[in-house]
Amino acid sequence: MKELTNSTVTLVMEGGAQRGLFTAGVLDVLMENGITFPAAVGVSAGAAFGCNLKSHQIGRVLRYNMRFCRDWRYCSFRSLVRTGNLFGAEYCYDRIPREFDPFDEAAFDRDPTAFYVVCTDVETGEPVYHRCDRVADHTYEWIQASASMPFVSRPVEIEGRLYLDGGISDAIPLQFMLDIGWLKNLVILTRPRDYHKPASRMPLSASPLMRKYPRLAETMADRHVRYQQSRDLVFRQEAAGSAVVICPEQPLPIDRITHDPAKLHEAWMLGRRAAKAALPKLEALIRGEREP
């Protein structure tokens, strides 16, 4: 695989907060095998963890999650009460990448991968697909916005507009990649194949933000429908031979939030195993051959 040049297959990464450790395991295997992508798109944790593919930092996602998962400043209801963010914004998007476990900004800037981050515009309720080429161009803010889950995060303001989690409006942005011309894709999901997202039971009228922004509330109410449509597209593309899908065989041992390093490691290992099993199919897709 190390001699295989990939100029045709792009990468789509679903979110899922700390379920993204599965994605991190997949990405580490891809990097270890020298597989690169001309373009990639990430949503929420898919953006926050996927950016390490562009900075070429194998193992970083697992390392800092295991180190900080029990730190209240990283993720806790104490952080939510004190800062308005379940995942502490200043801690996660400033101190960790710049001080405690440095993100290789120079490598990110040099890498030619077109890296897109999906956010939801709070005013319109529609997805926004922002290309992040250089860290200095608000990349940390775009990633933070993409991963800012509704009800437990403050909207992130970037250049005068407010954004939240991209998973609200486009949780699996395969259609976006098809629309901009990338017809073959590797799709990493953090839910099993048979998963069906239920309608939200959260009363949207209880949220001042949803009352203020009715289009965002409409998108939230319709979220499960959009999600299933995206999954249906993924598996149609796979059946047509235009996509390789890597996802857990069973529900992961973690949900959106966990403070148990052992469970984070287990999810990461499951991602590694799934990636290794999928390498022959990915190689065939890159070469334009029938999958083995």
Side-chain angles (χ1 to χ4, degrees), residues 192 194 248-254 270:
D194 60 355
E249 293 184 0
Q250 299 176 342
L252 293 171
I254 57 176
L270 289 170

Side-chain angles (χ1 to χ4, degrees), residues 40-183:
V41 60
V43 180
S44 194
F49 297 165
C51 63
N52 292 272
L53 183 76
K54 187 169 161 63
S55 67
H56 304 274
Q57 291 179 276
I58 298 172
R60 179 174 178 269
V61 174
L62 177 68
R63 183 174 63 240
Y64 75 71
N65 271 278
M66 290 185 66
R67 178 180 174 186
F68 297 112
C69 65
R70 288 177 172 161
D71 191 320
W72 74 267
R73 296 169 295 179
Y74 181 62
C75 175
S76 67
F77 286 103
R78 180 179 175 186
S79 172
L80 177 62
V81 170
R82 294 188 62 170
T83 71
N85 291 291
L86 185 67
F87 284 88
E90 187 269 342
Y91 202 70
C92 293
Y93 300 101
D94 186 8
R95 298 199 67 186
I96 289 177
R98 290 193 167 104
E99 181 180 349
F100 299 138
D101 198 322
F103 183 66
D104 193 335
E105 298 181 356
F108 181 94
D109 289 355
R110 286 193 306 267
D111 184 273
T113 303
F115 186 74
Y116 296 91
V117 169
V118 186
C119 301
T120 300
D121 186 299
V122 167
E123 185 173 348
T124 67
E126 291 301 314
V128 173
Y129 308 92
H130 182 80
R131 178 168 168 172
C132 297
D133 289 321
R134 299 175 64 255
V135 171
D137 297 332
H138 300 295
T139 288
Y140 288 134
E141 289 91 337
W142 282 107
I143 291 174
Q144 178 189 343
S146 182
S148 291
M149 297 182 291
F151 307 114
V152 293
S153 306
R154 295 181 183 275
V156 177
E157 182 175 350
I158 306 173
E159 298 179 341
R161 297 197 69 83
L162 295 176
Y163 301 98
L164 276 174
D165 190 343
I168 298 170
S169 55
D170 193 357
I172 311 169
L174 175 57
Q175 186 64 59
F176 166 72
M177 296 303 267
L178 297 175
D179 288 344
I180 64 174
W182 297 109
L183 303 183

